[in-house]
Amino acid sequence: MKEKEYRSLILKDLNKQVLDSISISLHDLVVEIVRTGFRCSGCGRCCKFYTGDNSVLLTYFDIGNLKKSANINAIEPTVAEEDMFLADTEGNVHTFGWRLKRKTNGECVFLGETGCTIYPFRPLLCRTYPFYIADGKLEISECCGMGRILSLYHARRLANELLQRYIIELRDTQMTYRHFKEGQLFLVSQPASDYELIVHDSRGKWIINDK
């Protein structure tokens, strides 16, 4: 299958998922969340690397909030710590999207002694953790806050943010594929020593000179 045809199929599937998201019942989400129960204990485990992958992938909505809070320098390309790289025939490395930077010990760069230092501007992934929507269905990550009583008010707010996050992530991916015009890319274990890093996102592509 040609690259253009493959991209067309992906966009067709993404378009369908966006349309299908309209039929997701907010009421059903609220019911599931209340039944599951959750209240953040403030332990910060989800912000620390030793508990698993704590990468916080960012949408255009999140990046806008980081700009408002003057924290735009706290983002990095998602390729930063990968073992395998997508490269073109010239050795340039390509990656998709951005994430929050982490400290040398693996903790989120915004984790302070008393918790999140940008709490009002935290990304949608953090706002909705440990819940997320995949293929239109509610999924739950492991968290010690599970099973605790959650008020109907907070469940409704969480359900709204979950649905918002799901739609934004789909549209972000949609626009990224629409902008992506590169030829065939190859998996390599080591990028060329003299290369450029090219980041693709929903706004287009960004060339980061690494020479």
Side-chain angles (χ1 to χ4, degrees), residues 114-147:
T114 58
C116 180
T117 59
I118 59 159
Y119 195 78
F121 300 98
R122 69 196 187 283
L124 284 169
L125 188 153
C126 305
R127 290 175 181 275
T128 56
Y129 188 86
F131 300 97
Y132 63 99
I133 298 175
D135 297 324
K137 297 180 181 179
L138 182 68
E139 302 288 348
I140 308 167
S141 300
E142 185 179 348
C143 178
C144 61
M146 303 296 297

Side-chain angles (χ1 to χ4, degrees), residues 14 18 21-22 60 165-178 202:
L14 286 167
V18 170
S21 69
I22 298 171
Y60 66 85
R165 172 189 165 190
Y166 181 58
I167 294 170
I168 286 175
E169 286 176 344
L170 284 174
R171 288 179 174 166
D172 244 11
T173 308
Q174 228 180 4
M175 292 307 298
T176 300
Y177 270 100
R178 283 178 180 168
S202 59

